[in-house]
Amino acid sequence: MRLLINGEEKKFSDGINIARLLKTEDVESPDMVSVQFNGDFLKKDEYESVYPKDEDVVNFLYFMGGGE
Amino acid sequence: MRELEADEIERYSRHILLQDIGVEGQQRICASKVFVIGAGGLGSPALYYLAAAGVGEIGVADGDSVDLSNLQRQILHSEDDLGRAKVLSAKAKINAINSKVKVNPYHGVLDASNILSVIKDYDFIVDGTDSFAAKFLINDACILAKKPFSHAGILRFTGQTITVDPFRSACYACIFNAPPPAGAVPNCSEAGILGSVAGILGAIQATEALKVITGAGSPLYNTLFGFDALAMTFRKVAVKRNPNCRTCGANGIRELADYEQPACELKNA
Ligand SMILES: [Zn+2]
C-alpha cells in the first residue's frame, strides 16, 4: 500500500499499524510526536489498533519547545 | 482611530503603499496593542519588527537577565546589556527604533495566577517562550481570554508556528494535547538552535500579528507551518479543531492551571 507520510509518498506492506509505522519511520519515542491520521489526531492508545489503508495520509508532528 | 501625523505618513509610507494595508491599516497598527511573552530568540526579532511597524503599545514579559550565551541569537540584547533585565534592554531597543511606542515591561514569570490580568488589555499575543509548560499555559490563557495569538517552537535547524483564533481555529492543545513527559523530547538548552532560525520564526510571528491587526491576507489559522533550514524547505500541515480538545473543546478547561516544568528545563535561562 502507498501512504502519504509527512507529505511524502511511501510504500509499505499491508497490515502495519501506527505503532509499527512509528518504528519504521524512525520516530524514537511516540512521546515525541502527535500523530495525525487522515486529518484527525490519534490518542496514544489508538496507535496499536489503527491500521492505515492504501492512500491514507499520516503526519507525525513533532513537539518543539524552544524559543529562547 | 486617530489620524496619522505628517511624520508618520512618511515613516510608514512603505506600509501605506501596500494595498492590503494603506492608511487605514497603518492606523490600525498604530492603535494596536501586542504582548510578547519572552524577549529571547523569538521575541527579539518579533519585537523589533512590531516596534518598527508602529504598534502603539507593546507589552513584554521576561523574568531573565541577559547572559553571554543569549547573544548568539537574542538580537535585542548586546554586550553592554549583560546582566541587565531583558525587559529593560528590550524597552530601550524598542524605543530607540520608535520612541512613539508605549512599552510596558513585565519583569517576571507569567503563571496561572497572573497571566490573564497581564494580557487582558492586548489585541494579540506572541508566544516567544522556551518551555512546554509556558507554551501550554499561554495557549490556555489566550483561549480563555479569547485573544488571538501566535505560537512558535524552535529546535536545532527547524521551527514551527501556528496562529490561533480561539474557538474558531485549532489551538496548540488541539494538536499536541499536553506537554510531553520530562526527558522525552529535546527541549533543553543542550538541544541547540541556529540563531537565524529563531530570527525567521520570530519574524513570521510579527508578520502574523500585523496580518491579524490589519486584516491583510490569511493568517496561519488551522495551519501548522514547519521550517527546515538545512534542507531550506517549509511545509504547511492543515489541522482542524479537535472537538475533544482538552482546552478549547466542548468540555474544555474553565480555569487556568500551571503545567509542571520538567527539571531539565529549569537550568535553561
Ligand atoms: Zn483546542
Side-chain angles (χ1 to χ4, degrees):
Chain A
M1 63 176 173
R2 289 164 311 154
L3 300 178
L4 200 60
I5 299 200
N6 282 12
E8 253 181 83
E9 197 179 277
K10 293 188 175 179
K11 281 192 176 165
F12 295 91
S13 47
D14 290 350
I16 181 171
N17 61 14
I18 295 290
R20 183 93 190 91
L21 201 58
L22 282 165
K23 288 209 178 80
T24 313
E25 290 298 293
D26 292 327
V27 178
E28 289 162 39
S29 153
D31 290 328
M32 288 170 65
V33 293
S34 180
V35 180
Q36 189 191 38
F37 180 64
N38 293 334
D40 294 317
F41 292 100
L42 299 181
K43 298 198 191 91
K44 299 227 182 310
D45 59 16
E46 295 174 305
Y47 292 178
E48 294 287 340
S49 58
V50 172
Y51 286 80
K53 301 182 305 295
D54 197 36
E55 296 191 3
D56 278 343
V57 178
V58 184
N59 283 312
F60 299 132
L61 304 178
Y62 284 80
F63 272 102
M64 285 187 201
E68 255 274 288
Chain B
M1 285 185 302
R2 69 171 174 83
E3 299 287 316
L4 296 178
E5 290 160 25
D7 67 312
E8 291 176 314
I9 302 268
E10 184 185 350
R11 177 174 199 136
Y12 303 118
S13 58
R14 300 304 190 279
H15 276 168
I16 293 167
L17 283 169
L18 295 168
Q19 223 166 35
D20 289 324
I21 296 184
V23 170
E24 199 194 318
Q26 187 60 47
Q27 286 175 312
R28 283 184 202 284
I29 294 170
C30 290
S32 70
K33 300 179 178 185
V34 178
F35 200 96
V36 178
I37 306 176
L42 294 168
S44 286
L47 285 162
Y48 267 135
Y49 279 114
L50 293 170
V55 167
E57 203 167 320
I58 297 179
V60 53
D62 202 308
D64 290 336
S65 299
V66 179
D67 78 32
L68 193 57
S69 69
N70 298 151
L71 301 186
Q72 162 260 13
R73 65 198 177 286
Q74 300 182 13
I75 56 172
L76 264 177
H77 316 298
S78 53
E79 291 177 6
D80 289 344
D81 299 310
L82 289 172
R84 192 180 187 191
K86 285 186 187 174
V87 290
L88 297 182
S89 166
K91 181 174 160 57
K93 308 309 159 51
I94 291 168
N95 281 142
I97 288 184
N98 195 336
S99 56
K100 272 200 180 155
V101 178
K102 181 166 186 268
V103 184
N104 304 316
Y106 184 96
H107 185 219
V109 175
L110 297 186
D111 61 26
S113 73
N114 59 18
I115 187 168
L116 288 173
S117 65
V118 171
I119 65 172
K120 76 172 182 333
D121 292 329
Y122 292 84
D123 305 311
F124 191 92
I125 315 299
V126 173
D127 174 0
T129 62
D130 69 341
S131 77
F132 290 112
K135 289 180 190 302
F136 277 93
L137 177 72
I138 291 164
N139 179 73
D140 294 0
C142 289
I143 297 295
L144 284 182
K146 297 195 178 71
K147 301 281 185 191
F149 72 101
S150 166
H151 158 92
I154 49 178
L155 178 67
R156 301 188 182 117
F157 295 91
T158 65
Q160 64 189 9
T161 179
I162 185 170
T163 306
V164 178
D165 186 8
F167 301 108
R168 296 209 188 96
S169 76
C171 83
Y172 185 51
C174 285
I175 304 172
F176 290 107
N177 184 47
V185 183
N187 59 317
C188 313
S189 45
E190 296 94 79
I193 177 70
L194 185 70
S196 57
V197 170
I200 288 165
L201 270 293
I204 290 174
Q205 291 188 284
T207 307
E208 289 290 292
L210 295 169
K211 282 164 62 185
V212 169
I213 289 162
T214 58
S218 314
L220 288 169
Y221 294 144
N222 291 316
T223 306
L224 186 67
F225 175 102
F227 172 76
D228 178 343
L230 288 182
M232 205 48 94
T233 52
F234 73 88
R235 198 162 86 86
K236 285 176 166 181
V237 177
V239 294
K240 58 188 180 190
R241 280 188 73 197
N242 180 347
N244 302 315
C245 174
R246 198 175 45 71
T247 299
C248 77
N251 296 311
I253 56 163
R254 297 282 183 273
E255 55 186 52
L256 280 186
D258 282 313
Y259 292 88
E260 222 173 290
Q261 182 111 319
C264 69
E265 290 180 1
L266 294 174
K267 61 180 179 232
N268 183 16

